[in-house]
């Protein structure tokens, strides 16, 4: 079946034969993807989508246009040239997620996933946004904190390391960078309860979905406006490092694997997570499929219960 023009519609990526044409909802594009809260025994939201690229498209442009981060889009499409995907090339939009581990409350930032989850106070809905995070030399800290305030059109006070780096590139910085097109904090910043760290917008959307900041968390301009209008001060913020997610979705076991922050993946870590999930249930896992998913680290959740009758042992 032909995949229709993404500018008007997309297709569900079928797990079985037969795709169904649907419209891409605006809430999934400009202001994060918003979902009804799933049942406790079904911690999965969204659905995988696929589209056809146009001649002029790049993965960076498509990521921003359709509300995903650059790296997660590239990982979901490893055989696609990120600069010249090519006219008519199918592009998988990784818009299906297993919820991160831990309490379903407040904001959860999963660093290797490059994604923010916000559980609305009503308990009825969840919103998720792609994020940019700190580089390896300026890592975003793993911590448990909260939103303590917000500032419109923030001034950036670059640290000594940032000033040295910019000066070495021939772009010396003042001690205070006012709001405007040269300010990397964008138009809005949420203040975290850890000194000098913020969740903010950006003047360089290409950095969303990548390790590009000096430690702060970046959102697309529209996304930070949407989040800041919704999240109250005092909201809990958990920043975690979980490249592997395993969860029972009713009677199916799902696996979702991302590269770690060094762009590596580990089958040992995957096997440990699966072992913890199945416990003594006697579930029969398709270990060959799990190993393949660990190697690809595409970030796409898939069921991994074996259809075979013979139980295999993790290597």
């Amino acid at each position: 079946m032909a995949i229709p023009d993404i500018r008007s519609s997309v297709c569900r990526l079928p797990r079985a034969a037969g795709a169904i044409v649907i419209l891409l909802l605006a809430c999934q594009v400009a202001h994060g993807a918003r979902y009804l809260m799933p049942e406790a025994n079904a911690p999965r939201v969204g659905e995988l989508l696929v589209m056809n690229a146009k001649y002029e498209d790049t993965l960076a442009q498509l990521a921003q246009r359709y509300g995903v981060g650059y790296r997660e889009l590239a990982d979901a499409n490893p055989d696609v040239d990120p600069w010249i995907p090519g006219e008519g090339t199918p592009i998988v939009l990784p818009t299906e997620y297993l919820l991160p581990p831990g309490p379903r409350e407040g904001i959860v930032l999963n660093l290797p996933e490059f994604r923010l989850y916000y559980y609305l106070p009503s308990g009825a809905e969840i919103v998720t946004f792609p994020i940019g995070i700190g580089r390896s030399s300026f890592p975003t800290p793993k911590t448990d904190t909260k939103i303590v305030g917000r500032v419109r059109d923030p001034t950036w006070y670059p640290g000594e390391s940032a000033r040295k780096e910019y000066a070495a590139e021939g772009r010396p910085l003042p001690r205070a960078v006012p709001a405007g097109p040269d300010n990397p904090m964008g138009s809005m910043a949420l203040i975290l309860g850890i000194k000098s760290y913020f969740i903010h917008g950006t003047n360089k959307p290409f950095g969303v979905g990548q390790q590009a900041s000096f430690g702060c968390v970046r959102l697309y301009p529209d996304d930070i406006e949407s989040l800041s209008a919704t999240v109250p001060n005092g909201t809990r913020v958990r920043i975690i490092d979980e490249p592997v997610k395993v969860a029972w979705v009713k009677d199916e076991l799902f696996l979702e694997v991302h590269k770690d922050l060094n762009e590596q993946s580990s089958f040992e870590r995957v096997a440990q997570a699966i072992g913890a999930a199945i416990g003594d249930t006697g579930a029969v896992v398709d270990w060959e499929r799990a190993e393949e998913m660990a190697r690809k680290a595409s970030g796409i959740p898939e069921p991994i219960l074996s259809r075979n009758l013979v139980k295999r042992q993790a290597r």
Side-chain angles (χ1 to χ4, degrees), residues 220-284:
Y220 287 130
D222 284 345
D223 288 352
I224 188 62
E225 293 293 338
S226 177
L227 180 64
S228 64
T230 308
V231 63
N233 290 346
T235 298
R236 182 182 181 185
V237 177
R238 287 193 302 123
I239 304 178
I240 63 175
D241 182 356
E242 296 287 349
V244 178
K245 295 189 286 184
V246 181
W248 287 97
V249 181
K250 297 185 178 177
D251 59 349
E252 286 194 286
L253 187 66
F254 273 75
L255 170 66
E256 179 180 327
V257 185
H258 300 264
K259 296 172 185 172
D260 66 23
L261 297 180
N262 295 315
E263 298 200 20
Q264 303 294 319
S265 60
S266 166
F267 179 63
E268 180 180 1
R269 190 165 185 173
V270 168
Q272 290 173 349
I274 293 172
I278 62 176
D280 59 359
T281 62
V284 181

Side-chain angles (χ1 to χ4, degrees), residues 147-227:
I147 303 292
V148 298
R150 65 202 63 219
V151 56
R152 166 70 63 185
D153 296 325
T155 297
W156 179 40
Y157 298 93
E160 187 64 26
S161 296
R163 289 200 300 274
K164 286 182 178 179
E165 181 176 305
Y166 273 70
E169 296 173 353
R171 301 182 294 156
L173 287 171
R175 292 194 173 272
V177 179
D182 296 326
N183 189 319
M185 297 184 73
S187 63
M188 173 63 71
L190 298 174
I191 306 169
L192 297 178
I194 47 177
K195 186 178 180 180
S196 301
Y197 288 94
F198 303 83
I199 300 173
H200 59 72
T202 182
N203 64 340
K204 296 179 179 179
F206 179 70
V208 174
Q210 300 197 68
Q211 292 176 267
S213 79
F214 286 98
C216 288
V217 175
R218 298 178 176 180
L219 275 73
Y220 287 130
D222 284 345
D223 288 352
I224 188 62
E225 293 293 338
S226 177
L227 180 64

Side-chain angles (χ1 to χ4, degrees), residues 19-75:
I20 301 174
V21 178
I22 61 171
L23 294 180
L24 183 62
L25 300 179
C27 67
Q28 291 179 299
V29 179
H31 305 297
R34 190 169 184 139
Y35 305 103
L36 293 176
M37 194 70 158
E39 299 175 9
N41 67 341
R44 181 184 58 161
V45 295
E47 63 182 339
L48 221 53
L49 305 172
V50 65
M51 48 78 69
N52 276 356
K54 292 293 186 181
Y55 172 77
E56 65 274 16
D57 288 333
T58 68
L59 289 192
Q61 292 168 338
L62 292 173
Q64 185 177 357
R65 189 182 305 160
Y66 296 106
V68 296
Y70 172 77
R71 182 162 140 179
E72 64 181 335
L73 187 61
D75 287 347

